[in-house]
């Protein structure tokens, strides 16, 4: 894809990044494009482009955003599509809902690589202010040997989203380096058994190893515990603004109202124009 893969591959060449949208995406992002938004000249004024897409869902929360420009940066985590829409509906029903009440519907970020949020208690403050740090941990399970001769295994099935640029191979090499430098002494073997079914990194431990102690050590020494910096900066009414969850949802609801108003105002204007022509034709015929 545009950003490479979870295995650490490079991004695709430009010729592969163009794609046709699915019907769902066309419905959500482009429906009534010509009736609802202003068209402005593009960078060299050779054609016109929409000023903004008439998106019917809060895409800023669903897709997340990350970028730097002119002394400002934004970092918004991705969220679950269904949960975000349910949260918007809850806000429409009760606009006085506070951030904590909205989080009972939204739950928190939904990272594509999974992982565990270690500081859930801090989420209400992060979503209230629009800034903070989310502590992410890989999901690990200990598989105990079935027979006496079998060794215990530590299986990693989800990794922090912050590792996506480095990839799984970087994670494996980091653990191998710690084993070589004797900082992790209980490892016998490491293997990457990941497939299209999902991530599966298997660390085989010595027979006398303490799995719980090893898990704590690996979180401490590697990026399998990492932080995702949240800075929900967005352009609101033409100005950059750090927004909380409620502000983003309110902006989206206001935008939907504006888009719907413009659509029916334009339709009415066209119908009035047709009405005038038809009345003129009737008079001419008479």
């Amino acid at each position: 894809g545009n950003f490479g893969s979870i295995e650490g591959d490079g991004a695709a060449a430009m010729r592969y990044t163009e794609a046709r949208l699915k019907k769902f995406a066309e419905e959500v992002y482009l429906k009534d494009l010509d009736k609802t938004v202003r068209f402005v000249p593009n960078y060299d004024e050779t054609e016109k482009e929409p000023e903004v897409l008439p998106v019917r869902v809060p895409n800023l929360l669903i897709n997340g955003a990350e970028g730097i420009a002119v002394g400002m940066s934004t970092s918004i985590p991705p969220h679950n599509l269904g949960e975000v829409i349910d949260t918007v509906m809850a806000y429409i029903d009760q606009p006085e809902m506070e951030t904590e009440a909205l989080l009972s519907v939204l739950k928190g970020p939904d990272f594509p690589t999974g992982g565990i949020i270690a500081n859930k208690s801090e989420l209400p403050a992060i979503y209230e202010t629009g800034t903070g740090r989310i502590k992410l941990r890989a999901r690990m399970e200990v598989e105990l040997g079935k027979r006496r001769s079998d060794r215990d295994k530590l299986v990693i099935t989800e990794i922090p989203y912050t590792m996506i640029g480095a990839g799984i191979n970087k994670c494996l090499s980091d653990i191998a380096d710690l084993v070589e430098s004797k900082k992790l002494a209980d490892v016998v073997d490491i293997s990457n058994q990941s497939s299209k079914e999902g991530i599966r990194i298997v660390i085989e431990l010595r027979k006398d190893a303490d799995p719980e102690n090893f898990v704590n050590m690996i979180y401490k020494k590697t990026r399998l515990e990492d932080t995702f910096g949240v800075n929900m900066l967005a352009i609101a009414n033409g100005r950059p603004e750090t927004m909380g969850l409620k502000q983003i949802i309110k902006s989206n609801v206001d935008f939907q109202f504006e888009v719907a108003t413009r659509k029916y105002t334009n339709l009415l204007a066209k119908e009035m124009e047709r009405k005038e022509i038809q009345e003129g034709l009737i008079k001419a015929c008479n």
Side-chain angles (χ1 to χ4, degrees):
N2 291 15
F3 304 102
S5 79
I6 201 165
E7 292 284 349
D9 304 317
M14 197 66 196
R15 62 183 176 274
Y16 298 119
T17 59
E18 291 185 16
R20 184 179 292 133
L21 294 177
K22 286 212 166 193
K23 277 187 180 174
F24 171 78
E26 286 184 7
E27 183 74 20
V28 170
Y29 292 88
L30 302 177
K31 193 177 180 188
D32 297 325
L33 183 67
D34 55 331
K35 301 183 190 85
T36 53
V37 295
R38 273 196 329 132
F39 275 69
V40 294
N42 70 336
Y43 68 98
D44 62 356
E45 299 195 350
T46 53
E47 51 187 320
K48 292 205 164 185
E49 62 185 14
E51 192 174 40
V52 63
L53 294 180
V55 185
R56 300 174 74 187
V57 294
N59 192 53
L60 193 66
L61 288 173
I62 293 160
N63 236 20
E66 216 165 321
I68 301 169
V70 244
M72 289 177 286
S73 68
T74 187
S75 179
I76 302 172
H79 296 81
N80 179 277
L81 171 67
E83 285 180 4
V84 169
I85 291 169
D86 288 345
T87 309
V88 172
M89 287 164 69
Y91 171 80
I92 290 168
D93 289 340
Q94 292 177 276
E96 68 282 355
M97 279 179 92
E98 292 304 321
T99 303
E100 206 149 343
L102 291 169
L103 282 176
S104 66
V105 186
L106 186 66
K107 313 293 184 201
D110 183 16
F111 294 107
T113 57
I116 299 162
I117 295 172
N119 60 336
K120 277 187 181 174
S121 60
E122 293 174 32
L123 288 180
I126 291 169
Y127 280 101
E128 181 66 46
T129 59
T131 58
R133 297 176 83 78
I134 296 171
K135 192 185 280 185
L136 293 171
R137 282 180 176 169
R139 189 176 293 278
M140 300 190 202
E141 294 161 8
V142 177
E143 287 185 3
L144 299 172
K146 289 177 183 173
R147 296 190 298 268
R148 270 191 175 181
S149 56
D150 293 343
R151 293 190 174 96
D152 295 342
K153 291 173 184 172
L154 187 69
V155 181
I156 301 165
T157 53
E158 296 173 10
I159 60 172
Y161 185 59
T162 48
M163 288 182 69
I164 201 160
I168 295 172
N169 294 331
K170 177 76 170 73
C171 168
L172 293 172
S173 65
D174 284 352
I175 296 167
D177 289 346
L178 288 168
V179 172
E180 276 180 33
S181 62
K182 303 279 170 55
K183 286 176 183 172
L184 285 176
D186 296 329
V187 178
V188 173
D189 187 43
I190 312 165
S191 60
N192 180 10
Q193 298 174 14
S194 303
S195 64
K196 63 181 180 183
E197 264 69 57
I199 297 167
R200 185 178 163 86
I201 300 166
V202 179
I203 303 169
E204 207 170 312
L205 303 175
R206 291 185 199 279
K207 283 183 184 175
D208 57 346
D210 178 356
E212 201 173 309
N213 186 46
F214 184 81
V215 166
N216 292 334
M217 183 70 76
I218 209 166
Y219 277 143
K220 196 174 177 183
K221 301 275 186 188
T222 68
R223 282 185 65 195
L224 291 171
E225 181 176 285
D226 210 350
T227 53
F228 180 93
V230 177
N231 181 28
M232 301 209 288
L233 185 91
I235 305 294
N237 301 317
R239 292 170 61 90
E241 192 181 328
T242 302
M243 305 166 84
L245 175 65
K246 189 174 178 178
Q247 285 171 284
I248 290 175
I249 289 172
K250 182 184 182 303
S251 295
N252 177 260
V253 171
D254 291 347
F255 174 69
Q256 299 304 330
F257 183 81
E258 186 189 318
V259 162
T261 305
R262 196 175 291 161
K263 175 184 171 180
Y264 292 108
T265 304
N266 289 345
L267 284 171
L268 184 65
K270 279 183 184 173
E271 287 303 316
M272 293 303 283
E273 207 174 288
R274 273 183 63 199
K275 178 174 174 274
E276 195 178 344
I277 292 166
Q278 285 168 349
E279 283 175 351
L281 289 169
I282 289 165
K283 277 191 178 179
C285 289
N286 287 346

